[in-house]
Amino acid sequence: MMSKWNAAWREQALPELAARDWDLIVVGGGISGAGILREAARRGWKCLLLEQRDFAWGTSSRSSKMVHGGLRYIAKGQFGLTRDSVRERQRLLQEAPGLVEPLSFLMAHYRGGFPGPKVFGGLLAVYDALAGKRNHLYYPLQQLRYLAPGIKEDGLLGGTRFFDAVTDDARLVQRVLGEARAEGGEALNGMRVAELCREGGQVSGVLAEDAETGKSYRFNSRVVAQATGAWADQLRRKTGLEHIRPLRGSHLLLPAWRLPVAHAFSFMHAADKRPVFVFPWEGATVIGTTDLDHPAPLSEEARISPEEMDYLLAACAQQFPAAQIRAADVLSTWAGVRPVVSDGSEGRKPSDEKREHALWVEPGCVTLAGGKLTTFRLLALEVLQACAPFVGRTVDDRGAATFAPVASQPMSTLSPAQQRRLIGRYGRALPQLLALLEELGLEQVADTDTLWAELAWAAEQELVLHLDDLLLRRTRLGLLLAQGATAELPRIRALCQARLGWSDTRWQWEEQVYLQLWQRCYSLPEED
C-alpha cells in the first residue's frame, strides 16, 4: 500500500521529488494532463505532474459532465473525430461503470423546427454505424408525453431518443491520477510553473513555485508536456500563426424536485439556435451551456454573468414552460473556460470555432491545446508519441485499459447502486476506503449520494490543500447543497479538521475563504 497522499506527504516529498531526474514532466492537472501521466507511468517512464492550483481546478471540474461521441461533428463532416469519440465513450462505459454512466437523450421535434425527425434520424444512423449498434428510436407525440412530461407541446410532433454518457468530471481526473500513481507516476498540486528552463536551445525542465510556501524548485526532465488548457499560451514559444481563444461555458444547477428529468433534453435556444441541454446529474438537474468569449484574467476563477443566467433561464422556460423556473430556484452555478484553438479569423462566433486539438512541438517541449474530455486517452498517446524522441523511446497504442479491473470486495452492507458508485469513483483504492466505511458507517451527507466516509477519505488520501478542494472537486457538496453546504460545515469540520492537520485558526480561515469564493463564483451572479 502506498503512503498517505496528503499535505504532510507533499511537504516531505517535495524536495526529494525536485532532486530527481525525470523522463517527463507534465504541466497541468486536468483530464489531459492526468491522461498523459497515466500512459507514461504505464510504460515505466519516470514521470511527474505539476498543477498550479488543484487537480481538475480549471475546465475539468466545470465541464458539461458529458462523455459523448460527438454527434455534432458528423454534421461538419468530421467522421474520424466522431468515430474516435464513440469508441472511447464505449471504452469508458465498459471500464468505469459507476463513474461513467449511460444517459438517454431526447430531442423533441416541432413543426417547422430544425433538425426535423428525418434529418436527425439520418445523423443518428451514421452515429450508430460508427458505434457499431443501433442506439436511437423515434417516439410519436402520444408516446413522448410519457417520456417527457412537462415539455412544451405547442407544435410538438414527437421526439427522438438516443444514448451518450455522463460523468463526474473531477472524480474522473482523480481516478486517472490514481491509476498513474499506482504504476509509479507522481503528482503535485499547488505548484505553479513559472518558466521553462532551457539549455542549448532545448527545454530541460521547469522552474516551479510552491503556492503553499512561496519556495521555488527546479525540476529537471528530458521533455516537458504542457496540458494547461486555456493557459497554453503562457509558457510555450509562440509562432504567431494561431492562438488560444478562451470561451466560457456556464451552467445552472437546480434541486431535482424543482425540475425532475429522467433524460437529457437537447434543444435549440430560440435566441441564437445554439444547442442547450437540461439533464440529470448527481441527483440534481443541470441547465447548460453558454458559449462566450472570456476576457477576464485566467488567474481568476470563472463565474457566470447575469446575462448568461438569463439566457439559461429563458432556455428552461422555452422547453419547460409549466415549471416556471426562476433564479430563486437555482442551488448553484459554475462556469468553465474552454481552450479553443483559433486561427484568429475576425468576426467568427464562438460556437463556429472548430473544437479540434492542436499540438505544438519545440525542442524538449510538447504543448497540447484543445481536445475533448471523451478522447483524453487518445490525446495522451499523441502527446507521448511526440515526447518519445526526446526520451529515447517509442510509443504505441497497446489498447490496454485505462482503469485496472477492481477485484470484487465483500460489501454486503452496501446497496448494489452504492457498490457500483464507489467502485467507479475509487477503483484500486476501494479496499482502503471500505476499511474506513467499517469505522465510520454508511451515512450519507444530507440528501446526496456522498457518504461521510468519502469526506474523511479525501481529507486523508487525496491531497486536499484547501477547503474548496474538498467541497468542490473531491466531493461536489458545494454544488449540490444549499449555500455551498454551509449547514454541514460544523460536522465536516468535526470529521476532517484533524485528518487535514489544520489548527482552529487555519480551519476558520479556510472556511471564510471558501464561503467568499462560493458566493463570488458558484452562487447567483451579482449585477455589475
Side-chain angles (χ1 to χ4, degrees), residues 23 35 95 183 189 192 200 245 305 322 357 365 378 476 519:
D23 293 323
E95 290 182 21
E183 298 192 14
N189 50 3
R192 186 182 70 84
R245 183 178 181 181
S305 68
H357 68 283
C365 184
L378 298 180
R476 313 316 287 267
Q519 200 64 45

Side-chain angles (χ1 to χ4, degrees), residues 477-526:
L477 297 175
L479 298 176
L480 297 170
L481 297 178
Q483 294 297 312
T486 301
E488 303 295 338
L489 283 175
R491 188 166 171 188
I492 293 171
R493 177 179 185 173
L495 179 68
C496 296
Q497 181 177 339
R499 287 180 161 90
L500 289 164
W502 293 352
S503 65
D504 288 344
T505 303
R506 170 74 185 273
W507 182 275
Q508 290 160 5
W509 180 82
E510 288 283 349
E511 199 171 289
Q512 181 182 353
V513 169
Y514 163 71
L515 291 173
Q516 288 173 349
L517 169 68
W518 189 90
Q519 200 64 45
R520 191 171 67 250
C521 298
Y522 294 90
S523 67
L524 294 175
E526 296 178 2

Side-chain angles (χ1 to χ4, degrees), residues 8 24 27 58 77 111 184 217 238 264 271 283 297 307 324 327 385 415 430 446 457 465-466 473 485:
L24 169 70
V27 184
R111 195 173 294 112
Y217 295 86
K238 304 173 194 61
E307 294 77 19
Q324 298 189 329
Q385 285 162 355
S415 71
L430 188 63
W457 171 261
L465 299 182
H466 297 285
R473 286 173 290 279

Side-chain angles (χ1 to χ4, degrees), residues 20 44 55 110 153 158 185 202 209 212 234 255 267 322 324 340 380 382 391 430 440 470 472 476 508 521:
R20 289 191 207 172
F55 308 118
Y110 293 89
E153 291 208 8
Q202 179 165 325
E209 180 185 328
E212 300 302 296
Q234 296 189 355
F267 54 99
Q324 298 189 329
V340 174
E382 194 174 327
V391 184
L430 188 63
L440 296 174
L470 182 67
L472 294 175
R476 313 316 287 267
Q508 290 160 5
C521 298

